């Protein structure tokens, strides 16, 4: 056996003849590759920012089997398996080169050294970022699938699979992608608005999970040019891990609406009186009705035109609250005339409750 392979066996009184690696019964020279593979793994980790790492090892066929055979034949217990010995030695060399420490349970990055194919692969633990965005009218919140190809990619969508229209999501993907070196992201939004809505500071909260990041930190404030306008992110911070509970929220909105007939001053006072911490029912199709609160409504009318400032619970659709479709009571219902929402802006979003986070786990399969 080679030096390293014989060191692994607790032979007691027995002793082994130490031979060059290529003549080793167990590894056939595999362990001679440790310095080269450790160097390759270190190079593979170079683009990544990390404090902790772990090493996984794949052995060439037969190595593990021959060690098992040897141990059962000679009744050896062994100090460690060949796999953990290699992983330990590779990790030691990486640690020396990068000054980072090993954390087998929850590493920032994980590197796989495949001694059979002489390849290395790196993956990193996802990071979670919280921020708030503001946007101008004419920018959608999410990207939507291309109508022509339904996401497969075609000339119409420039092979992205998504409609070529400006969106907050598209802008953030591009910008965050550049900052952290990965474009694999999953967004969670605290509510949504219309494409023609303006979102004012402090902005609407969102959380993004970034998979396979090279950098593990993201600035608290940045801007992204989207179409003709600017999407700004502020209040940004890294979250400690995956949030399992997202806060609920309420929001202030400014609504521009049109009534079917002129709204008299009594109508306005009815609105003010009717909506004051008032429970309204939203009959969600295919699901249980939701009870939401309308905290206050302040309205002005000029002829048939209405300007309404309202504070609503998250999840109550503004347009339905105005026109009364599936929502009761509504602005239409109180004014006893058909009112339709032309547009609405988001003036303030307030979170209620806190984030809750999952136990820190490392799921190699999903990365
Ligand atoms: Zn060996
Ligand atoms: Zn397409």
């Amino acid at each position: 056996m080679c030096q390293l392979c014989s060191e692994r066996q607790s032979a007691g009184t027995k002793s082994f003849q130490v031979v060059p690696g290529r003549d080793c019964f167990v590894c056939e020279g595999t362990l001679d590759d440790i310095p080269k593979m450790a160097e390759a793994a270190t190079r593979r980790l170079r683009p990544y920012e990390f404090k902790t790492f772990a090493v996984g090892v794949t052995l060439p066929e037969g190595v593990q089997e021959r060690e098992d055979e040897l141990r059962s034949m000679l009744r050896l217990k062994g100090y460690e398996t060949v796999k953990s010995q290699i992983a330990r030695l590779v990790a030691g060399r990486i640690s020396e080169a990068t000054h980072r420490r090993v954390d087998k349970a929850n590493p920032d990055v994980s590197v796989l050294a495949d001694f059979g194919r002489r390849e290395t692969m790196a993956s990193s633990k996802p990071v979670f970022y919280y921020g708030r965005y503001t946007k101008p009218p004419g920018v959608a919140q999410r990207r939507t699938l291309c109508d022509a190809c339904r996401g497969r990619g075609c000339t119409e969508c420039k092979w992205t699979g998504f409609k070529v229209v400006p969106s907050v999501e598209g802008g953030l993907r591009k910008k965050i992608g550049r900052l952290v070196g990965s474009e694999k992201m999953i967004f969670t939004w605290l509510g949504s608005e219309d494409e023609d809505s303006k979102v004012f500071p402090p902005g609407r909260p969102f959380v993004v999970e970034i998979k396979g990041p090279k950098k593990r930190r993201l600035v608290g404030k940045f801007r992204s040019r989207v179409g003709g306008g600017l999407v700004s992110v502020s209040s940004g911070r890294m979250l400690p891990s995956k949030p399992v509970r997202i806060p609920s929220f309420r929001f202030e909105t400014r609504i521009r609406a049109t009534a079917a007939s002129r709204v008299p001053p009594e109508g306005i006072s009815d609105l003010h009186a009717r909506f004051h911490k008032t429970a309204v029912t939203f009959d969600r199709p295919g699901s249980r009705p939701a009870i939401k609160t309308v905290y206050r409504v302040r309205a002005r009318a000029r002829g048939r035109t209405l300007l309404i400032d309202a504070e609503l619970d998250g999840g109550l659709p503004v347009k339905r609250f105005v026109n009364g479709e599936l929502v009761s009571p509504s602005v239409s219902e109180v004014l006893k005339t058909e009112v339709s929402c032309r547009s609405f802006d988001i003036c303030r979003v307030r979170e209620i409750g806190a984030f809750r986070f999952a136990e820190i786990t490392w799921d190699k399969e999903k990365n």
Side-chain angles (χ1 to χ4, degrees):
M1 265 181 290
C2 72
Q3 181 66 40
L4 286 171
C5 283
S6 61
E7 277 173 15
R8 219 167 41 238
Q9 322 305 337
S10 55
T13 52
K14 299 186 195 79
S15 71
F16 299 103
Q17 185 192 350
V18 173
V19 297
R22 63 177 183 280
D23 300 327
C24 174
F25 167 73
V26 176
C27 77
E28 295 179 346
T30 298
L31 272 62
D32 289 347
D33 287 342
I34 288 174
K36 228 172 35 210
M37 291 295 281
E39 223 171 89
T42 304
R43 263 200 313 278
R44 182 71 66 195
L45 289 175
R46 204 166 288 155
Y48 292 89
E49 184 182 277
F50 62 99
K51 288 199 179 88
T52 57
F53 70 97
V55 174
V57 166
T58 309
L59 294 172
E61 259 194 52
V63 174
Q64 186 67 64
E65 290 76 3
R66 286 192 296 275
E67 169 146 281
D68 292 346
E69 190 191 326
L70 175 91
R71 285 186 179 174
S72 80
M73 235 161 52
L74 301 179
R75 294 169 193 266
L76 300 173
K77 260 182 83 189
Y79 295 109
E80 63 185 337
T81 65
V82 54
K83 211 171 192 172
S84 59
Q85 183 195 34
I86 296 183
R88 179 172 57 76
L89 293 171
V90 170
R93 285 170 177 265
I94 295 174
S95 194
E96 212 162 275
T98 61
H99 306 289
R100 300 292 186 270
R101 69 190 164 76
V102 175
D103 181 346
K104 285 182 191 165
N106 189 37
D108 291 339
V109 293
S110 184
V111 65
L112 180 73
D114 185 334
F115 277 74
R117 308 164 84 162
R118 296 175 182 226
E119 278 172 9
T120 57
M121 275 182 326
S123 59
S124 62
K125 184 171 60 167
V127 290
F128 296 85
Y129 180 80
Y130 165 96
R132 283 173 173 259
Y133 72 85
T134 61
K135 77 168 194 72
V139 175
Q141 182 186 55
R142 297 164 206 229
R143 335 182 266 185
T144 43
L145 287 183
C146 168
D147 289 330
C149 67
R150 298 264 107 226
R152 283 194 308 274
C154 66
T155 49
E156 199 131 313
C157 58
K158 297 177 185 159
W159 302 100
T160 59
F162 294 97
K163 264 187 205 161
V164 190
V165 291
S167 69
V168 173
E169 182 177 355
L172 295 186
R173 268 180 193 282
K174 224 164 55 193
K175 182 76 178 194
I176 294 174
R178 267 205 302 273
L179 292 170
V180 301
S182 168
E183 292 211 7
K184 279 179 262 162
M185 291 170 223
I186 300 169
F187 284 89
T188 305
W189 314 95
L190 271 74
S192 64
E193 63 283 330
D194 265 17
E195 190 173 323
D196 25 304
S197 301
K198 195 170 166 176
V199 177
F200 286 97
R204 184 186 291 287
F206 67 94
V207 172
V208 57
E209 171 177 2
I210 307 159
K211 291 171 181 283
K214 303 284 194 308
K215 302 271 180 291
R216 307 196 65 78
R217 302 211 59 82
L218 189 53
V219 285
K221 233 178 178 173
F222 59 86
R223 296 200 293 193
S224 175
R225 186 156 286 285
V226 174
L230 267 185
V231 168
S232 297
V233 169
S234 60
S235 313
R237 62 175 198 267
M238 303 312 298
L239 298 176
S241 66
K242 191 183 187 69
V244 288
R245 186 182 162 277
I246 303 277
S248 55
F249 64 96
R250 56 200 247 192
F251 64 104
E252 291 170 27
T253 175
R254 167 159 283 196
I255 303 161
R256 285 165 293 274
T258 309
S261 54
R262 208 184 68 83
V263 179
E266 308 86 77
I268 297 296
S269 19
D270 285 350
L271 275 182
H272 293 177
R274 188 72 179 79
F275 293 112
H276 179 72
K277 294 183 186 153
T278 305
V280 304
T281 308
F282 172 28
D283 264 312
R284 296 173 296 179
S287 156
R288 278 189 307 148
I291 308 295
K292 299 288 179 182
T293 301
V294 175
Y295 296 91
R296 63 183 176 84
V297 166
R298 282 286 164 276
R300 275 179 288 156
R302 176 178 285 174
R304 298 195 298 123
T305 302
L306 279 163
L307 194 63
I308 306 167
D309 287 310
E311 186 170 8
L312 315 173
D313 262 342
L316 182 58
V318 174
K319 288 187 164 166
R320 292 183 189 279
F321 168 63
V322 174
N323 65 29
E325 195 187 325
L326 301 177
V327 170
S328 175
S330 67
V331 173
S332 287
E333 190 179 323
V334 172
L335 292 180
K336 299 186 189 71
T337 181
E338 221 168 89
V339 184
S340 64
C341 170
R342 287 209 316 274
S343 67
F344 65 95
D345 291 335
I346 302 299
C347 304
R348 190 172 170 202
V349 180
R350 251 192 287 194
E351 285 165 28
I352 302 162
F355 281 97
R356 229 183 17 233
F357 298 101
E359 293 286 306
I360 294 168
T361 54
W362 168 241
D363 190 344
K364 286 196 183 88
E365 302 309 312
K366 284 192 189 143
N367 283 280

